[in-house]
Amino acid sequence: MPELNNLPCCGPTETAQLKELPHAFGYDFDLHQCLGCGRTFIYVWSNAGAAGAWEWVPESTAQAMIDAEGEDLLSLLRDWAKEL
Ligand SMILES: [Zn+2]
């Protein structure tokens, strides 16, 4: 079911959650796609209650994360999150 989110690309727009990603570095990550323009984003948030952030990811990165599972997915995510 689409959610309404305030995206950097299109403003308040429905997004589809593509995948729940693992926790890393004390944050939670979810992979979403903007239903306005099709861009893929990782929503970065923490349980501490601070507002989350939308980080654009190339479609190739998003696809790699969709295809990966377990340890492979975690190491992909860690490599990506290092650059935040
Ligand atoms: Zn968009």
Side-chain angles (χ1 to χ4, degrees):
M1 184 173 152
E3 304 170 36
L4 196 62
N5 286 300
N6 194 10
L7 294 181
C9 54
C10 299
T13 311
E14 286 188 344
T15 66
Q17 185 178 352
L18 301 177
K19 189 164 186 171
E20 272 186 51
L21 302 173
H23 299 233
F25 308 119
Y27 289 89
D28 244 324
F29 302 88
D30 288 321
L31 187 61
H32 288 257
Q33 183 167 35
C34 174
L35 296 182
C37 66
R39 284 188 175 88
T40 43
F41 288 89
I42 292 180
Y43 184 60
V44 183
W45 56 285
S46 78
N47 289 322
W54 291 92
E55 298 287 342
W56 174 76
V57 288
E59 207 172 321
S60 56
T61 303
Q63 192 59 51
M65 288 180 176
I66 289 169
D67 292 341
E69 292 296 341
E71 284 299 311
D72 289 344
L73 178 56
L74 190 56
S75 68
L76 268 181
L77 181 67
R78 283 194 171 133
D79 282 349
W80 175 82
K82 269 194 300 213
E83 292 168 24
L84 288 182

